[in-house]
């Protein structure tokens, strides 16, 4: 239940006063003791502190600054984290979202299912959107010899067990920094350019597909990425993923190689405009200097929303990834 | 002949004395009202009845059951609460049913036997079967309205009924002389225009003679007779109760001396019809028999707990409804009239009771034209005696007729509350489904036309609380015809409630006879954001509100349950699963109502579907006032419903 904020009595004789305005905007988190509004009585003006924590909700009909208010009058509410409809809770549980991280839409006092779905839209809806996006696909096989050696070299050095995905995430993040055209979303029929680089990783959590996001992956070391990734995957499996954990990815990486899939094409994760599908890392015959030899390779395919990027921009982006994967030492050096 | 009367009286006496012993031993779990001292009455009357003649009795009914031919083992087993009891252990001493032998039932409520016997008489005379109905009742019942209403109607329509008052001079511990302005019961018959005879209730020969004449009179079509039999019960009102606070030991001892069995014994011996030895042999034989059946009943199986809730209703009959594709338009009232006409033509056992439903054709035209087609007996204008004719409908339905009661305004049904709730609703259950209860009770509901408080009630919530009743409220002519016809073919009692403000509204109605099953809601409009359940006029008002809100982009699903009992919660639940929001609109009062029931069920089964609290809009919790401005203030208005939906949709 929301906690009511009512006009207090400032001194013995006060029956009414003048509301002097809010000190924090509606929707902000409030801690105990934080001044949240000012109130004038005939004797004093006082910044009134919150008695409880919560999210401040100022109703539309709340008194405005300068209004006369009487002792006990309702000014606003402090929403409690658990103020969610039964339906919202049930949906959040099913999707593996921590309801505490979902906020109600503007002006509302209760989290409803739609607020939860804003965090993770259901797969069916997403797919429909994805299929409306005009896609194209690019494929490349990268030599993974150096990638494997790097991973083997890092394994004993780092506290968290490094996966190929951690290095690939770093590669995609660095390539994206070099090719910002792909770091853009298609929203409401327009390209929205993004500045930060957050890489999503498709994770299987109890038969539910979730895409937790490694934030600012371009600025993180492989070790940090490995630590972030491990924590995120754990939260997803525990059904404790937060809104923050799942929101706002730039592009997504999905790897079915460990399930024995040689190569595949992935569906976009709207509003993102690119997704990388990683196949099985394996010895494959390749031609080197006119000779067929066995080499460790990794198949990479890139799906792109043509409204955001054309074939050439996409090809350059994929080429940059391949180069980074084939000479990954740079990734270990760049912070 | 007289020896067989002796045998019957002795069987009753021995059984009662054995039951008294069993009660003292704890074998009888509830009440045990014995008939000791009054045996001559049941014996003398039932001696002239055929197997298919019907008797209706009271809390003191063991003797009536035995005299009508119930094997004593069934009586004992019933009082012991066993499966083999005449009521399968559902009734005990006060609720004995054996319709197969014309023992139509005893009632723990004082009075209804009089009305039910009158109703059975109506059924027999309608169906021209030459059967006779008998009401047994105590002196206490003669001060009850059922006596007045039942005797009056039986007299007007010359019904084949015997009203047998067993005046044992006390109602529990209240002397009849203290409770009656005119303690001469037989003389009261004159007030209703039927013959009344006062008899010595302990003289079986006198009773037998009088009963013979009264039965013959009834069978000949000459009408009912009241027999007042003066007697005395020589055991306490009920086994285990104290006896000497309201009467003296001397009085009781004196009446024991006037024992009807002793008296017949002396008569038989004096007339040479039997010898001492023969009568002693009968006594011994009966004593042995009673001991044996009592011992056997002690060993009889208990009813299975799984059977505790069977036969509340008749088996459901599934029907396929045609759908609203017809082009011909009829008003709501005309649609039910068409159904009634079609079914009366097909089924001669249907008759209508009501005030002004004969030549006049009903206050709302519900029977227009039918009197000319089917005559006075099937379209019967009644005295203003709602309790009486509802009680009669019960007896008529127990004996093969299908009564339709037209109340005009359903407010009047409350005068018959006891007959409906204690008798009609419970009859199928108490008889383990051996009796059917096809009674259709109809009347208009709802606020409007400045009808004020006694012509505007909506009582569906009250009656939906009662197991055994069906409660139906259509909101369109199409639904009205199909549900009405289904009610006319149902074996359950049905309250058919007609929203007054919708009775003149026209809509498409198929011409053929079709049925709509109870317990199937109708989705009046599909929508995705909020579910609104509306009943009666409010179903149509919710539909109008949904139309308005569509222009604001709010998508409302409107459901009309059509029947309140049974209630189709599955359809509502499915809708809420889709929309996440539920509003219930009903002009009836909110506390303990249909809305409360739906809210509870959906909260229970659909909690995880809800994105907002379940909300209700109800009429004000006040009687209906007269003045238009006051009247409008107590019923949910269209803009109030629109605002309520809008608010909840955004909550
Ligand atoms: C309507 C109703 N009111 C009260 C009672 C409680 N009650 C049970 S038996 C009885 C006395 C009935 O007296 P009477 O009709 O003379 O029958 P008797 O017991 O003398 O055979 C009463 C008041 C009841 N069963 N039904
Ligand atoms: Mg009495």
């Amino acid at each position: 239940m929301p906690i009511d904020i009512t006009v207090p009595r400032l001194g013995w004789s006060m029956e009414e006063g003048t509301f002097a305005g809010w000190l924090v905007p509606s929707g902000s988190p409030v801690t105990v003791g934080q001044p949240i509004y000012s109130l004038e009585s005939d004797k004093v003006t006082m910044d009134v502190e919150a008695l409880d924590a919560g999210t401040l909700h100022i109703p539309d009909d709340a008194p405005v600054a300068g209004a006369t208010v009487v002792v006990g009058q309702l000014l606003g509410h402090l929403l409690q984290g658990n103020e969610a409809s039964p339906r919202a809770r049930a949906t959040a549980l099913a999707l593996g979202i921590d309801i505490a991280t979902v906020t109600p839409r503007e002006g509302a006092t209760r989290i409803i299912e739609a607020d939860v779905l804003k965090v993770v839209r259901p797969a069916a809806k997403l797919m429909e959107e994805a299929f409306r996006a005009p896609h194209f696909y690019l494929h490349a096989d990268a030599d993974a010899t150096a990638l494997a050696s790097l991973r083997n070299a890092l394994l004993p050095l780092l506290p968290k067990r490094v996966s190929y995905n951690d290095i690939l995430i770093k590669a995609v993040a660095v390539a994206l920094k070099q090719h910002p055209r792909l770091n853009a979303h298609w929203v409401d029929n327009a390209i929205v350019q993004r500045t930060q680089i957050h890489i999503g990783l498709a994770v299987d959590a109890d038969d539910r597909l979730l895409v937790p996001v490694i934030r600012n992956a371009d600025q993180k070391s492989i070790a940090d990425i490995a630590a972030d990734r491990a924590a995120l995957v754990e939260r997803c499996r525990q059904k404790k993923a937060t809104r923050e954990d799942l929101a706002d990815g730039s592009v997504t990486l999905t790897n079915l190689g460990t399930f024995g899939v040689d190569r595949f094409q992935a569906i976009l994760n709207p509003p993102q405009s690119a997704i990388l599908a990683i196949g099985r890392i394996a010895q494959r015959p390749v031609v080197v200097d006119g000779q067929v030899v066995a080499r460790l390779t990794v198949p990479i395919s890139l799906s792109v929303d043509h409204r955001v990027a054309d074939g050439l921009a996409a090809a350059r982006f994929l080429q940059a990834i391949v180069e980074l994967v084939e000479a990954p030492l740079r990734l270990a050096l760049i912070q | 002949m007289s020896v067989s009367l002796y045998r019957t009286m002795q069987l009753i006496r021995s059984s009662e004395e054995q039951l008294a012993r069993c009660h003292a031993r704890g074998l009888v779990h509830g009440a045990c009202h014995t008939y000791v001292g009054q045996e001559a009455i049941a014996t003398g009357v039932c001696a002239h009845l055929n197997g298919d003649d019907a008797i209706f009795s009271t809390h003191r009914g063991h003797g009536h059951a035995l005299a009508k031919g119930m094997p004593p083992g069934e009586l004992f087993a019933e009082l012991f609460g066993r499966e083999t009891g005449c009521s399968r252990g559902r009734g005990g001493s006060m609720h004995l049913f054996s319709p197969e032998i014309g023992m139509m039932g005893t009632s723990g409520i004082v009075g209804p036997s009089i009305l039910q016997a009158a109703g059975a008489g109506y059924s027999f005379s309608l169906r021209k079967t030459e059967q006779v109905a008998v009401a047994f009742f105590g002196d206490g019942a003669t001060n009850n309205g059922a006596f007045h209403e039942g005797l009056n109607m039986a007299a007007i329509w010359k019904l084949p009924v015997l009203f047998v008052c067993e005046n044992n001079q006390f109602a529990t511990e209240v002397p009849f002389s203290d409770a009656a302005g005119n303690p001469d019961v037989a003389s009261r018959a004159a007030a209703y225009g039927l013959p009344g005879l006062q008899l010595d209730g302990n003289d079986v020969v006198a009773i037998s003679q009088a009963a013979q004449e009264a039965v013959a009179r009834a069978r000949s079509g000459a009408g009912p007779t009241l027999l007042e039999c003066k007697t005395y019960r020589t055991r306490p009102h009920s086994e285990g109760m104290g006896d000497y606070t309201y009467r003296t030991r001397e009085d009781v001892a004196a009446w024991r001396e006037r024992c009807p069995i002793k008296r017949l014994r002396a008569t038989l011996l004096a007339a040479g019809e039997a010898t001492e030895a023969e009568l002693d042999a009968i006594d011994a034989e009966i004593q042995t028999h009673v001991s044996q059946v009592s011992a056997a009943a002690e060993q009889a199986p208990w009813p299975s707990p799984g059977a505790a809730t069977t036969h509340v209703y008749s088996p459901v009959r599934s029907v396929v409804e045609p759908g609203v594709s017809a082009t011909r338009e009829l008003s709501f009232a005309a649609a039910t009239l068409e159904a009634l006409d079609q079914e009366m033509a097909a089924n001669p056992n249907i008759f209508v009771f009501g005030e002004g439903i004969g030549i006049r054709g009903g206050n709302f035209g519900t029977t227009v034209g039918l009197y000319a087609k089917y005559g006075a007996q099937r379209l019967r204008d009644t005295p203003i005696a709602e309790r009486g004719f509802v009680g009669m409908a019960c007896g008529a339905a127990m004996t093969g007729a299908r009564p339709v009661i037209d109340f005009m305004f359903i407010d009047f049904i409350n005068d018959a509350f006891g007959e409906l709730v204690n008798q009609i609703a419970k009859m199928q259950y108490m008889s383990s489904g051996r009796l059917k209860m096809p009674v259709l009770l109809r009347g208009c509901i709802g606020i409007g036309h400045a009808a004020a408080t006694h012509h505007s009630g909506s009582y569906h919530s009250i009656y939906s609380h009662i197991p055994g009743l069906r409660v139906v409220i259509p909101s369109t002519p199409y639904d009205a015809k199909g549900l009405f016809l289904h009610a006319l073919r149902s074996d359950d009692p049905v309250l058919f409630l007609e929203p007054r403000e919708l009775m003149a509204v026209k809509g498409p109605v198929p011409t053929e006879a079709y049925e709509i099953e109870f317990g199937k809601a109708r989705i009046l409009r599909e929508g995705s954001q909020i579910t609104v359940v509306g009943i009666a006029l409010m179903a149509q008002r919710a539909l109008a509100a949904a139309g308005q809100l569509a222009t604001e982009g709010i998508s409302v699903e409107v459901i009309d349950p059509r029947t309140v009992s049974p209630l189709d919660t599955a359809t509502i639940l499915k809708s809420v699963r889709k929309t996440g929001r539920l509003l219930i609109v009903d002009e009836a009062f909110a506390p303990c109502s249909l809305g409360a029931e739906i809210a509870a069920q959906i909260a229970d089964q659909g909690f995880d579907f809800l994105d907002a609290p379940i909300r209700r809009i109800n009429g004000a919790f006040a009687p209906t006032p007269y003045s238009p401005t006051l009247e409008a203030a107590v019923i949910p208005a269209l803009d109030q419903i629109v605002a309520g939906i809008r608010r909840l949709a955004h909550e």
Side-chain angles (χ1 to χ4, degrees), chain B residues 38 59-60 137-141 165-172 174 176 231 233 237:
Chain B
Q38 305 182 200
H59 57 285
R60 198 174 303 289
F137 53 93
D139 49 284
C165 172
E166 303 182 85
N167 185 352
N168 62 11
Q169 306 174 48
F170 294 93
T172 322
V174 180
F176 187 57
T231 185
R233 63 170 159 73
H237 170 75

Side-chain angles (χ1 to χ4, degrees), chain B residues 200-343:
Chain B
D200 180 343
N202 288 24
D203 180 353
V204 71
V205 177
I207 290 176
S208 171
Q209 276 171 6
Q212 187 171 21
E213 284 167 30
V215 167
R217 189 176 128 79
R219 275 201 223 289
S220 73
T225 307
L226 170 64
L227 303 178
E228 181 194 8
C229 309
K230 287 259 199 168
T231 185
Y232 201 88
R233 63 170 159 73
T234 50
R235 291 195 69 82
H237 170 75
S238 184
E239 286 309 300
M241 273 172 75
D243 214 10
Y244 301 113
T245 51
Y246 61 97
R247 59 186 191 177
T248 64
R249 286 176 194 277
E250 292 70 32
D251 279 351
V252 175
W255 274 95
R256 277 209 190 103
E257 284 310 306
R258 296 170 62 177
C259 168
I261 302 174
K262 260 191 211 165
R263 187 160 162 183
L264 179 61
R265 189 179 177 105
T267 310
L268 290 173
L269 293 173
E273 285 195 38
T275 65
E276 289 270 4
E278 282 165 1
L279 296 178
D280 287 350
I282 291 174
D283 294 353
E285 178 206 319
I286 287 174
Q287 194 56 54
T288 310
H289 181 54
V290 166
S291 305
Q292 280 169 356
V293 300
S294 174
E298 268 188 70
Q299 303 306 318
W302 295 97
S304 135
T309 56
T310 60
H311 301 295
V312 176
Y313 295 98
S314 287
V316 169
R317 205 166 42 81
S318 284
V319 294
V320 179
E321 65 169 281
V324 212
S325 54
T327 49
R328 183 197 53 155
E329 299 228 322
L330 281 185
S331 74
F332 187 112
T336 63
L337 175 59
E338 186 169 85
L340 183 58
D341 190 6
Q342 287 172 338
E343 198 57 12

Side-chain angles (χ1 to χ4, degrees), chain B residues 330-507:
Chain B
L330 281 185
S331 74
F332 187 112
T336 63
L337 175 59
E338 186 169 85
L340 183 58
D341 190 6
Q342 287 172 338
E343 198 57 12
M344 282 188 85
N347 187 342
N349 295 328
I350 297 176
F351 70 93
V352 185
F353 267 170
E355 295 151 18
I357 54 86
I359 295 175
R360 184 187 169 201
N363 194 48
F364 294 105
T366 47
T367 53
V368 167
L370 301 185
Y371 184 89
K373 266 182 156 163
Y374 304 111
Q377 204 174 21
R378 297 187 68 193
L379 286 125
R380 182 61 83 187
D381 277 330
T382 63
I384 303 158
E386 278 74 10
R387 183 210 171 165
F389 58 71
V390 171
M392 283 181 64
C394 180
M398 287 162 91
T399 50
R402 287 187 166 265
V404 175
I405 296 188
D406 191 331
F407 284 102
M408 298 184 264
F409 295 91
I410 207 66
D411 305 75
F412 309 152
I413 200 174
N414 295 335
D415 277 29
F417 194 81
E419 300 308 323
L420 185 53
V421 169
N422 268 325
Q423 306 297 325
I424 289 177
K426 296 176 180 171
M427 207 54 86
Q428 297 194 81
Y429 178 85
M430 293 309 294
S431 69
S432 298
R434 290 176 290 163
L435 290 170
K436 298 291 168 216
M437 203 31 63
V439 180
L440 198 167
L441 307 111
R442 71 184 303 186
C444 78
I445 60 166
I447 298 171
H449 287 79
T453 196
H454 292 149
H455 297 74
S456 61
S458 290
Y459 299 103
H460 47 270
S461 294
I462 294 177
Y463 291 99
S464 300
H465 186 69
I466 308 298
L469 297 181
R470 303 289 194 194
V471 180
V472 176
I473 316 182
S475 77
T476 67
Y478 164 81
D479 293 333
K481 181 174 173 185
L483 288 165
F484 198 80
L485 200 74
H486 196 58
L488 283 170
R489 292 178 182 174
S490 167
D491 283 333
D492 294 328
V494 181
L495 248 75
F496 189 87
L497 305 175
E498 305 164 87
R500 179 169 179 196
E501 300 299 302
L502 297 175
M503 283 177 86
V505 174
K506 288 193 169 182

